[in-house]
Amino acid sequence: MIFLDYASATPVSKTAKTAMEPYFSEKFFNPSAPYLAAKRAREDYEKAKANLAHTIGAKADDLIITSGATEANKLAFSAATGEVLILATEHASIIENSKKYPTKIIKVDKTGLIDLADFKQKLTKETTFVSIALANNELGTIQPLAEVAEIIRKERENRLIKGNPLPLIFHSDASQAMSLVPISVARLGVDLLTINSAKVYGPKGVGALYQGHQVKLQPITEGGGQEKGLRSGTENVPGLVGFAAAAVEAKEHQNGARKHYKQLVKILKDELEKSKIEPIFLGNKKHQLANFCPVCFPGVDAERVIYRLEEDEIYLSTGAACAASKGEKSHVLKAIGLTDEEIAGSLRISLGKDNTEEDMKFAGQKIVAAVEKELQFSK
């Protein structure tokens, strides 16, 4: 099997799996219980939270543990009190949550990079919440969040001068970027940050939201008062322990991973360029996650290509898994100006740490063969 859809899911690393195992049986205690064994489970939970927080330059008290990025994004939006600005290429969970508020969509260029001039124009005295993903989940395009944060800072200063009491909160979903981009909440200038275990070789069903001290959030799950009363429910101790172990491991190997992926992507692109249909590589070459290789073969049915490749146990996708499952066209590819024909012929290829140079050569050859068969079929 050659898996080329790591943007949708990653296997649990051996490090994370080993760290989690005791908490399923030997240390199964509810960390909110009063006896010593449960208190030790609480200590382990808090230690794991501190380790996870450290990977993004935060403290344990800054994190709210959730069931994943979608829930973390929903919690983040509880800080919105009025007009919202989001990027045109945001994840479906951001788009759906924004619909509850007056919303403006920030344009992107043909590589998926934010149009800062458009952002400045749409940021007004009535804007209360801005959400821009650190890296896009279909293109891998990395956004200049520090520049966005500086624009927001100046707007806040203007509000103070003019006596405008409206808060202005800056949120980013860093789920896709966490394993490959060095993250510091202070350097990024964000007030809220979403991270996701499932994208960093940790267990699925675990995520977290970083909450800046000045940000007020509203509970989305009420009950026992866990996670500062914002996300009640018995704590997922093994999940957090696995998430923290995976995040720490990913951070330690970031530089080596980026170099490795760049080499693999080059090999893959060299093979894809041998196709009779000249491939169009998508995203921003200078600002793109190293493991991404989104590509378009105009005039080809990418879904049929995927089915052909599955016969050879090569797995990739046409875009975000949540959109693909509904049979919807990618709003991300629409936002960067692709035609319907180009969208139909687009593949999202994302690599992972189990891929090898031999995988890239073989997969590249098989993708080209599948594309050319589809070209003949369409004629």
Side-chain angles (χ1 to χ4, degrees):
M1 181 186 78
I2 300 177
F3 186 67
L4 299 174
D5 195 21
Y6 283 85
S8 70
T10 57
V12 175
S13 71
K14 290 180 181 178
T15 300
K17 185 178 179 182
T18 300
M20 293 169 69
E21 282 176 351
Y23 299 93
F24 289 115
S25 52
E26 303 162 35
K27 302 179 181 182
F28 63 90
F29 309 101
N30 186 326
S32 295
Y35 35 85
L36 184 59
K39 289 181 178 179
R40 286 176 177 162
R42 163 63 62 188
E43 289 173 1
D44 292 346
Y45 184 82
E46 294 301 330
K47 182 179 178 180
K49 188 185 281 191
N51 290 340
L52 177 60
H54 182 71
T55 66
I56 60 169
K59 297 179 180 179
D61 288 344
D62 299 330
L63 295 188
I64 301 104
I65 307 305
T66 67
S67 66
T70 294
E71 184 183 355
N73 286 340
K74 182 177 178 63
L75 180 58
F77 266 84
S78 73
T81 55
E83 183 179 273
V84 166
L85 265 63
I86 67 169
L87 209 58
T89 52
E90 287 302 309
H91 186 271
S93 62
I94 297 295
I95 293 171
E96 289 304 312
N97 278 292
S98 73
K99 290 179 180 178
K100 302 166 188 173
Y101 307 89
T103 301
K104 293 178 182 176
I105 307 298
I106 309 162
K107 295 178 183 177
V108 295
D109 66 16
K110 63 182 181 181
T111 71
L113 204 62
I114 184 173
D115 183 333
L116 288 173
D118 187 61
F119 172 59
K120 288 179 182 178
Q121 182 182 358
K122 288 174 178 171
L123 182 65
T124 70
K125 62 182 180 180
E126 296 177 351
T127 306
T128 68
F129 192 86
V130 177
S131 186
I132 298 171
L134 177 52
N136 182 259
N137 63 318
E138 292 189 37
L139 301 170
T141 299
I142 302 169
Q143 303 297 342
L145 293 195
E147 292 181 48
V148 173
E150 179 60 18
I151 294 168
I152 289 173
R153 186 190 66 78
K154 289 179 179 177
E155 170 60 23
R156 286 173 178 155
E157 286 184 353
N158 289 334
R159 291 186 183 187
L160 281 173
I161 293 169
K162 296 178 180 179
N164 181 351
L166 269 184
L168 179 54
I169 306 300
F170 183 22
H171 166 254
S172 179
D173 184 343
S175 300
Q176 204 68 66
M178 192 178 178
S179 65
L180 287 169
V181 175
I183 295 176
S184 163
V185 289
R187 284 199 298 271
L188 293 177
V190 294
D191 304 300
L192 296 165
L193 188 81
T194 294
I195 52 177
N196 187 1
S197 171
K199 308 295 186 182
V200 294
Y201 301 89
K204 297 177 181 64
V206 189
L209 179 69
Y210 160 78
Q211 177 190 16
H213 298 298
Q214 76 283 14
V215 181
K216 294 182 179 180
L217 299 172
Q218 301 301 317
I220 56 171
T221 306
E222 297 175 338
Q226 292 89 344
E227 300 301 322
K228 298 188 286 187
L230 294 169
R231 205 274 180 180
S232 292
T234 301
E235 295 91 342
N236 181 358
V237 180
L240 176 58
V241 167
F243 186 5
V248 170
E249 185 177 37
K251 189 176 182 69
E252 290 174 348
H253 295 94
Q254 267 182 7
N255 291 336
R258 284 198 298 271
K259 291 177 182 177
H260 181 57
Y261 290 139
K262 285 179 181 178
Q263 185 177 359
L264 294 186
V265 168
K266 184 181 184 304
I267 293 170
L268 180 60
K269 284 184 175 180
D270 288 344
E271 292 296 333
L272 296 180
E273 285 175 340
K274 296 175 183 177
S275 171
K276 293 177 182 177
I277 305 176
E278 186 175 348
I280 301 171
F281 295 108
L282 308 174
N284 190 295
K285 293 179 181 179
K286 292 183 179 179
H287 307 284
Q288 188 171 44
L289 294 176
N291 67 326
F292 265 65
C293 185
V295 61
C296 168
F297 293 97
V300 171
D301 186 337
E303 289 188 2
R304 288 180 57 87
V305 169
I306 287 172
Y307 296 144
R308 288 185 185 275
L309 292 170
E310 194 170 346
E311 295 174 3
D312 292 307
E313 292 191 296
I314 298 172
Y315 303 109
L316 45 82
S317 69
T318 55
C322 49
S325 65
K326 298 177 187 174
E328 296 176 354
K329 288 183 179 178
S330 167
H331 70 280
V332 173
L333 301 185
K334 285 181 183 178
I336 63 171
L338 264 59
T339 65
D340 286 348
E341 182 185 56
E342 289 169 335
I343 292 173
S346 294
L347 299 168
R348 180 180 70 169
I349 304 173
S350 49
L351 314 184
K353 62 183 182 181
D354 294 327
N355 294 139
T356 65
E357 292 185 8
E358 290 73 23
D359 288 343
M360 295 304 99
K361 291 177 183 177
F362 182 75
Q365 291 165 6
K366 287 293 184 179
I367 292 170
V368 167
V371 165
E372 292 180 351
K373 282 181 182 178
E374 276 308 306
L375 180 63
Q376 293 175 354
F377 177 83
S378 62
K379 288 181 179 179

